[in-house]
Amino acid sequence: MDFSSFNDSPAAEAAAVLRPCVDIDRWVEEIVALRPFANRGELIDFAGRAAAPWTTAEIDAALAHHPRIGERAAGNSAEAGMSRNEQSGVVRSAEVQAALDAGNRAYEEKFDRVFLIRAADRSAEDILEQLQKRLHNSPDEEIAVVAQQLREIAILRLEGVIEA
Ligand code: 2AL
């Protein structure tokens, strides 16, 4: 959708564009309600600040949509397509894949949620390094990192769906 259509479209249509970026109601609703934005940059800036901080419950609900790193999202929803696209650049050797699998398991055991990282523009080695580092975080430290990663993914997706 182009920027001016996003500004002018009915609320439900604008919300439908935002929701696959991150499925957090408050985020979607705050952005929809603040339209019209003066320009695309203002929309993106506001989207980065909206509904901050997210609650842990909101983050956990949004995370349920994200496949593990190394797993291909199934289906033809907008969200699944975005996820496949983000992970498409993460090329890995069997050795790195095995380490990612073990790291994902350790992470889920410790934090009881899927390890989330902005995959776009990251190598498999970088993701593995971040995963191993984040395993040492306390739950409070880690939820702040997850919120930031979710925000980065949402903004990249938003930049992809709102054309200039
Ligand atoms: C993902 C995903 O689907 N896209 C992305 O950037 N990261 N998943 C994940 N577990 O980090």
Side-chain angles (χ1 to χ4, degrees), residues 24-98:
I24 293 182
D25 285 336
R26 282 193 309 132
W27 185 80
V28 171
E29 285 160 13
E30 284 182 22
I31 297 170
V32 167
L34 209 70
R35 296 173 310 149
F37 290 92
N39 54 55
R40 184 173 174 275
E42 248 188 40
L43 160 64
I44 306 282
D45 283 353
F46 180 74
R49 297 191 305 272
W54 286 325
T55 66
T56 302
E58 286 170 335
I59 291 169
D60 280 335
L63 273 187
H65 299 259
H66 284 277
R68 291 186 182 97
I69 288 293
E71 280 181 4
R72 208 178 140 73
N76 51 15
S77 66
E79 206 171 26
M82 289 169 176
S83 169
R84 285 195 295 268
N85 196 29
E86 289 151 4
Q87 292 211 31
S88 66
V90 186
V91 180
R92 61 217 137 218
S93 62
E95 193 187 342
V96 171
Q97 181 63 58

Side-chain angles (χ1 to χ4, degrees), residues 66-69 83 86-87 114-120 153 157:
H66 284 277
R68 291 186 182 97
I69 288 293
S83 169
E86 289 151 4
Q87 292 211 31
V114 165
F115 169 71
L116 182 88
I117 190 162
R118 175 200 21 97
I153 293 170
R157 289 180 173 189

Side-chain angles (χ1 to χ4, degrees), residues 3-10 35-36:
F3 171 71
S4 67
S5 308
F6 177 78
N7 258 345
D8 298 340
S9 60
R35 296 173 310 149

